Amino acid sequence: MCDFVNLSPADVKAVPGPHYVKDGFLKQDLFEALRAEFPGDEYFKQDADDSYAGGRTDLEFGKNGFDAFARQSTVWRDFVASVRTRRYAEYLLDVFSNHLHQGRPLRRDGFVFVPTSEYIRTDHPLGRRFAQWSKAHPIAGKRMDRVIYRSYHKIKGAFFPDHYYIVCQVAQSWSGYVQPAHRDTLDRGIVTLIYFNDPVAEGGGEGGEFGIFRLRDDAPKQTSTWAHPAHVEEVVRLSPRPNLGVGLLNTPSIYHSGEMFKAGTQPRKFMYIGVARLENACSW
């Protein structure tokens, strides 16, 4: 159990893939304290070189902007320290315990937790030379990447335990930010988003909903992170609102999106938390 989260296995829905939608995700007093000290633009600008297309910027654990912010906010520093633990990873694995066999299976027991002390960004399985070749030959490169990745980790998994760590990103997005229906890369196991404002009601913005999609029965086999709009069907659309938590188990059957957002006086404020494997990223 985690005493700062309101979540249980009963909150998980199985269709189109294991996921939950939970209002009041964090204990209310903790949420109010975090919301009151949500970082301002001055902290996000310190990592401006890593801005996402369309205006999203992240403060990610181990990078300069996050470190500067954490030094000024005890409540955020303590919260992130509580999230980045084996206890929290086990808690989320327990929440999804009835579904861990789906997709690329996650292990509830016997894994090694890696308490990383710095930012992690993985590369292609064969390193820079393969990445350069893959860029020059995108179709063949992606196919080889997946074959090598899956073969290597299937063999490794038979003899060695999985290594998991926690990804923490405090984020904001302004006008133009959009993420079409997609699946996260194979190294990501469980994904959680926590919203800290309602940018439409509070800031006069438009859009920015979170969508959950299923793969259509007549869709061809998917080998890309991104879904063609004709191959998926939306089953849930959620407007960001304070203390809404949305989470999913990263499986082939479920896609998610961040719809086009037009900001008013406020950005969309949220946090991304992921249980990830300590290995190279690769598409499905």
Side-chain angles (χ1 to χ4, degrees):
M1 294 294 294
C2 278
D3 55 9
F4 55 85
V5 177
N6 298 307
L7 192 65
S8 74
D11 294 311
V12 176
K13 294 180 172 56
V15 179
H19 71 281
Y20 62 79
V21 176
K22 184 73 173 181
D23 283 299
F25 181 77
L26 297 176
K27 300 294 185 181
Q28 194 61 31
D29 56 346
L30 171 61
F31 174 79
E32 295 296 345
L34 293 169
R35 177 175 158 116
E37 296 190 18
F38 196 90
D41 286 347
E42 66 273 18
Y43 293 107
F44 288 101
K45 289 177 181 177
Q46 295 190 45
D47 281 333
D49 56 317
D50 290 324
S51 296
Y52 282 68
R56 171 177 167 173
T57 50
D58 292 349
L59 298 181
E60 185 154 5
F61 180 85
K63 300 182 74 176
N64 291 336
F66 181 90
D67 292 342
F69 168 62
R71 287 193 293 269
Q72 303 299 318
S73 177
T74 301
V75 65
W76 272 97
R77 183 171 64 247
D78 291 347
F79 174 62
V80 171
S82 298
V83 167
R84 295 184 59 260
T85 60
R86 182 185 183 98
R87 179 182 174 219
Y88 187 69
E90 290 178 339
Y91 172 70
L92 288 180
L93 290 167
D94 284 339
V95 166
F96 285 100
S97 59
N98 295 328
H99 309 277
L100 294 179
H101 62 283
Q102 297 185 36
R104 185 170 172 217
L106 289 168
R107 302 180 183 184
R108 168 56 180 84
D109 300 304
F111 68 88
V112 176
F113 183 76
V114 183
T116 56
S117 59
E118 59 185 20
Y119 170 78
I120 292 177
R121 179 66 73 200
T122 53
D123 207 338
H124 287 78
L126 294 185
R128 292 185 180 179
R129 289 189 177 181
F130 178 79
Q132 292 171 353
W133 182 88
S134 179
K135 187 174 182 180
H137 305 82
I139 296 177
K142 286 182 179 180
R143 289 176 178 172
M144 284 188 64
D145 199 4
R146 285 193 293 270
V147 170
I148 293 169
Y149 179 96
R150 292 177 176 179
S151 299
Y152 170 73
H153 289 293
K154 185 175 182 180
I155 295 170
K156 188 184 77 169
F159 298 97
F160 301 98
D162 283 345
H163 287 61
Y164 300 154
Y165 71 103
I166 301 291
V167 182
C168 282
Q169 300 167 346
V170 184
Q172 67 173 18
S173 60
W174 289 94
S175 290
Y177 177 69
V178 61
Q179 286 274 23
H182 65 284
R183 298 174 292 194
D184 283 359
T185 51
L186 275 166
D187 57 309
R188 300 295 167 94
I190 297 174
V191 175
T192 297
L193 291 177
I194 308 170
Y195 291 99
F196 285 86
N197 70 332
D198 182 336
V200 175
E202 298 172 23
E206 298 178 14
E209 299 90 350
F210 182 89
I212 296 177
F213 299 77
R214 75 173 187 89
L215 190 64
R216 294 177 61 92
D217 295 335
D218 57 352
K221 181 180 179 181
Q222 304 294 301
T223 58
S224 172
T225 297
W226 305 95
H228 190 285
H231 297 159
V232 292
E233 181 177 77
E234 186 176 73
V235 295
V236 176
R237 178 171 289 217
L238 303 162
S239 297
R241 51 186 179 265
N243 209 8
L244 170 67
V246 183
L248 57 89
L249 188 68
N250 190 21
T251 69
S253 61
I254 187 169
Y255 290 74
H256 59 286
S257 71
E259 298 302 313
M260 177 65 76
F261 177 57
K262 178 182 178 182
T265 60
Q266 293 186 15
R268 183 173 56 174
K269 303 176 182 180
F270 58 101
M271 184 177 188
Y272 175 105
I273 304 173
V275 177
R277 298 176 175 88
L278 190 63
E279 59 188 40
N280 302 97
C282 182
S283 67
W284 287 85

